[in-house]
Amino acid sequence: MKKVRNIVTMVCALAAAAALWMLAGPQFLKFRGGAVPLGPEDDPAQAQGKYVSHEVAYPVASYVAEYYSGDPDRAKDYGYVVYDADRKSFFCIRESDQRDGDYASLLYNLELMAELRATKDMTPAVVEGSLELMDQAGIERALAALEESEIVSRYYELRGDESYYESYADTYYGDEYGKVLEEMGQVLYDGAAQAEWYCIESGSVNGLVISDMWICVLAAGLSVLIALGSLVSLIAGGKSDRGARPADTASAMERFLYEQRGWVEEWCRYSLGRASRSAYIAVAIWVVLLGALGYFIKMPTQKIFVFYLPLGLLLGELTALFILWVQKGQSKPKKILKRMAKHIRKAFPAPGAQEEFAEDFLKAGEEWAFREKKKDSMLYGRLGDRYWSSFWGHGVPTIVDVSKLERVEPETISGSVRSGKVRVSYESYVANFYYQGTALYDNADKAFTFQTLSGRAGFLALAVKKGVDGVKIRES
């Protein structure tokens, strides 16, 4: 079963990694290669699709490129029409509302008179993103923004009256920035149509936002690591480190601990298998939850596939690894046996007492063993001539000294506890042990706790069969 889980995990993880890399891998490689500066002599047609950087010195118009879904009054991205003084043409950039301050500031300053611009910071802003050819709808929005631009409107207004233009030309176009704006206005005034429009979407490579790209790549990388871990586990799996059986001359405690390894390893395998199932469920829940979130808030399909689903996978894998890490730390047979030996030493501090207990346990054999395994617990014990003992799956024992025992009484404990806003009921079945001199209305000296009525009934029947002179055992 473990091999099947490893194979399924490896195949699913590699498939997820491959799918995510196909979505974001090429763009990520372009991004990691760094933005290529788009120089004055570079042909935009040759740079189409590449990740470029470009200085933005003359944004002359702005428009809302996209609104938040379901909120037509809240802008998500802004578009800016930029004049390229070197090529004497226009291009567009697109920037999120949270990061458009530099472009908005430059646009505001360019609308001022020349003497006021001299007091402003006119440092060009640098945009980085992939250069893409604009579609017709994008071009129409850019042209509409130019028609409404205050910079363009002012130039048209001044050119409407030559004497008025000569009087105020220096007011707006008397500095180096004004001369470029005047040149731009003349280009528009002449009515020359621009054949091709290009757009740089800031922080995006071929339509994929850089933050989304990182999520995809991280999720793909983690999936590859999980696949490699599953492969290593598949190759090394199935090997037990129980070691050689102790010689008959070994101490009783050594032989006792070796004999416990069987059920301890069984419980550890079961616990790890259960943790694996929980890990799969965690991944599925996160993926479905994030995918549903993207769908219900009406995100574009591409955004769901490159952000919400990969983020769900990443969170799910991290949660799954945490679950497995915690359970693996609790499911080490050597660690459990070490804890078992520590508790036995604590219960029998006198010299030779531990050996006596171990000999009694080993002498009883499997004939007098009882066990109960549930989805979240494991109980194993034996009825010896001197000691009756039970061990939980984590190695903590309860040991009853039969020489002191007077009676065994069954008890059912039930109740409820609050968990958040709901109350959760619980019920357990206990075999209480009363030593000589302990009254029934007092707390029991020792107790074995079972999760099922049948588990307790089986133990009590075995205790009756064992039979101890002078000890009263009530089965129901």
Side-chain angles (χ1 to χ4, degrees):
M1 188 63 184
K2 182 180 179 181
K3 289 184 177 180
V4 174
R5 284 200 303 268
N6 284 331
I7 292 173
V8 170
T9 300
M10 183 170 59
V11 171
C12 291
L14 287 176
L20 292 172
W21 185 255
M22 290 174 63
L23 284 172
Q27 296 90 329
F28 182 75
L29 293 177
K30 288 182 182 180
F31 168 69
R32 295 302 296 168
V36 179
L38 187 65
E41 304 301 325
D42 293 329
D43 183 3
Q46 297 298 320
Q48 183 178 343
K50 295 182 179 179
Y51 183 55
V52 302
S53 65
H54 193 55
E55 284 192 346
V56 178
Y58 300 99
V60 294
S62 67
Y63 59 94
V64 177
E66 184 180 355
Y67 291 96
Y68 279 99
S69 177
D71 191 352
D73 297 324
R74 186 182 173 202
K76 179 183 177 184
D77 293 337
Y78 280 103
Y80 289 88
V81 182
V82 179
Y83 181 66
D84 189 335
D86 296 316
R87 297 176 178 81
K88 295 181 174 52
S89 62
F90 296 92
F91 70 96
C92 290
I93 62 172
R94 179 167 170 168
E95 182 62 274
S96 67
D97 178 40
Q98 291 83 4
R99 299 178 57 189
D100 73 331
D102 291 340
Y103 311 112
S105 178
L106 281 171
L107 176 59
Y108 174 79
N109 294 339
L110 290 172
E111 292 173 348
L112 300 175
M113 293 182 291
E115 62 178 340
L116 292 178
R117 277 199 296 266
T119 65
K120 302 295 183 179
D121 181 11
M122 301 297 293
T123 304
V126 177
V127 60
E128 292 185 352
S130 56
L131 186 70
E132 304 289 351
L133 194 63
M134 294 177 65
D135 57 18
Q136 188 58 39
I139 294 173
E140 290 176 359
R141 280 193 294 179
L143 292 174
L146 274 177
E147 289 180 5
E148 298 177 0
S149 167
E150 182 176 334
I151 296 173
V152 175
S153 299
R154 179 185 294 121
Y155 182 83
Y156 274 57
E157 183 180 348
L158 292 175
R159 286 300 303 266
D161 187 332
E162 288 298 328
S163 61
Y164 189 65
Y165 177 79
E166 291 176 1
S167 301
Y168 285 94
D170 287 343
T171 302
Y172 292 101
Y173 309 122
D175 60 352
E176 58 176 314
Y177 300 100
K179 288 181 173 56
V180 174
L181 294 178
E182 186 178 24
E183 176 190 78
M184 178 207 70
Q186 187 63 47
V187 169
L188 291 173
Y189 193 77
D190 291 341
Q194 185 171 319
E196 293 180 333
W197 283 69
Y198 290 92
C199 182
I200 301 176
E201 186 173 352
S202 178
S204 172
V205 183
N206 302 135
L208 190 61
V209 179
I210 291 174
S211 58
D212 296 352
M213 197 186 316
W214 273 108
I215 293 294
C216 284
V217 171
L218 288 174
L222 186 56
S223 295
V224 170
L225 291 177
I226 290 173
L228 290 175
S230 298
L231 178 61
V232 171
S233 180
L234 183 64
I235 295 173
K239 297 179 180 179
S240 175
D241 60 349
R242 294 186 67 175
R245 175 181 290 275
D248 293 339
T249 56
S251 69
M253 274 300 295
E254 288 182 39
R255 289 181 284 120
F256 162 79
L257 292 174
Y258 180 84
E259 191 160 325
Q260 307 315 302
R261 292 197 69 110
W263 70 266
V264 170
E265 288 180 348
E266 177 190 343
W267 173 245
C268 289
R269 287 193 298 270
Y270 172 81
S271 298
L272 287 173
R274 186 164 171 256
S276 297
R277 290 190 292 273
S278 298
Y280 292 135
I281 293 172
V283 173
I285 289 175
W286 273 111
V287 170
V288 171
L289 185 65
L290 269 295
L293 176 63
Y295 175 80
F296 282 113
I297 61 177
K298 299 180 180 178
M299 284 290 114
T301 302
Q302 184 195 37
K303 186 72 173 180
I304 293 176
F305 277 94
V306 300
F307 177 73
Y308 287 92
L309 291 179
L311 180 59
L313 179 63
L314 181 62
L315 293 175
E317 289 177 337
L318 290 173
T319 303
L321 289 175
F322 177 75
I323 292 172
L324 291 173
W325 175 72
V326 170
Q327 189 59 59
K328 192 169 184 180
Q330 298 175 351
S331 299
K332 295 181 178 180
K334 287 185 177 180
K335 185 176 180 180
I336 294 174
L337 292 172
K338 185 177 180 180
R339 186 185 301 122
M340 188 183 297
K342 177 182 176 181
H343 281 281
I344 291 174
R345 285 195 301 270
K346 186 176 179 180
F348 299 100
Q354 299 167 38
E355 290 291 298
E356 181 185 354
F357 164 76
E359 286 286 5
D360 185 69
F361 185 95
L362 293 170
K363 183 180 177 182
E366 279 295 316
E367 177 187 356
W368 300 107
F370 61 93
R371 68 169 62 201
E372 181 189 59
K373 184 173 77 172
K374 298 297 291 181
K375 66 178 182 179
D376 57 354
S377 70
M378 174 73 169
L379 185 70
Y380 178 85
R382 286 187 188 179
L383 304 183
D385 294 332
R386 175 67 190 276
Y387 300 104
W388 292 356
S389 55
S390 68
F391 296 86
W392 285 104
H394 48 69
V396 177
T398 301
I399 301 172
V400 177
D401 188 343
V402 178
S403 65
K404 301 178 182 179
L405 191 59
E406 181 177 348
R407 63 173 60 242
V408 182
E409 294 286 339
E411 180 185 8
T412 299
I413 300 175
S414 61
S416 62
V417 293
R418 181 172 293 279
S419 177
K421 295 183 179 181
V422 299
R423 297 195 68 85
V424 179
S425 299
Y426 64 89
E427 192 169 51
S428 60
Y429 305 90
V430 180
N432 288 318
F433 300 92
Y434 293 86
Y435 286 162
Q436 297 165 7
T438 302
L440 280 176
Y441 50 79
D442 290 336
N443 291 332
D445 294 285
K446 301 285 183 176
F448 291 172
T449 302
F450 299 83
Q451 288 198 353
T452 63
L453 183 60
S454 61
R456 185 185 66 184
F459 163 74
L460 292 174
L462 189 65
V464 171
K465 181 181 176 182
K466 182 70 175 180
V468 179
D469 291 340
V471 176
K472 300 177 181 178
I473 302 175
R474 186 165 65 89
E475 295 188 68
S476 59

